[in-house]
Amino acid sequence: QVQLVESGGTLVQPGGSLTLSCVASELSINYYAVAWFRQAPGEERERVGCINHSGGLTYYEDSAKGRFAISRDNAKNTVYLQMNSLKPEDTAVYYCAADLIDLYNDVACLSTYDYWGPGTQVTVSS
């Protein structure tokens, strides 16, 4: 009943910027925390960062801190991942994931996520 779809992945040059979108259907993301993950060829999937239901709290892994930013527009049921100063090692399939929050435990990152998108390819190369 819940569908997440990522978009915006493409080929980009090193040092460039790119913004990915995650659009949710069949639900209101007002009550969902969202995280971005990525998986490079031959490597395990890793978390990039997280955002709480209101957008007021975010968390970033060291690989993304200072370069990436997660934001959300709940009226559009959309979460964004803005990526700046891209490096070849950022090449990966990027996924968004979402799950219901606890109103009395408002955090950016959850331990597990029930809903996942199919992913979008980002390639950083000259």
Side-chain angles (χ1 to χ4, degrees):
Q1 61 177 353
V2 177
Q3 180 175 284
L4 301 175
V5 179
E6 305 93 341
S7 64
T10 188
L11 173 67
V12 61
Q13 294 184 347
S17 299
L18 191 65
T19 299
L20 306 181
S21 298
C22 174
V23 179
S25 63
E26 304 297 331
L27 85 165
S28 172
I29 64 167
N30 293 29
Y31 308 106
Y32 287 78
V34 176
W36 285 94
F37 294 79
R38 68 185 184 185
Q39 186 169 25
E43 300 183 12
E44 296 183 349
R45 180 177 293 171
E46 65 175 358
R47 189 173 65 193
V48 177
C50 318
I51 189 167
N52 75 332
H53 71 99
S54 69
L57 182 63
T58 56
Y59 172 82
Y60 302 97
E61 302 293 341
D62 288 343
S63 62
K65 191 176 301 181
R67 298 190 299 124
F68 293 5
I70 301 173
S71 61
R72 63 193 297 159
D73 186 342
N74 287 351
K76 297 181 179 179
N77 267 4
T78 302
V79 175
Y80 304 96
L81 176 64
Q82 182 180 348
M83 303 183 290
N84 302 312
S85 301
L86 284 163
K87 307 172 182 178
E89 50 263 44
D90 294 319
T91 296
V93 177
Y94 283 73
Y95 303 88
C96 64
D99 214 341
L100 285 167
I101 56 90
D102 180 351
L103 291 177
Y104 289 92
N105 187 24
D106 189 8
V107 297
C109 299
L110 306 178
S111 59
T112 60
Y113 293 90
D114 282 352
Y115 305 104
W116 291 76
T120 185
Q121 176 71 50
V122 174
T123 302
V124 185
S125 176
S126 298

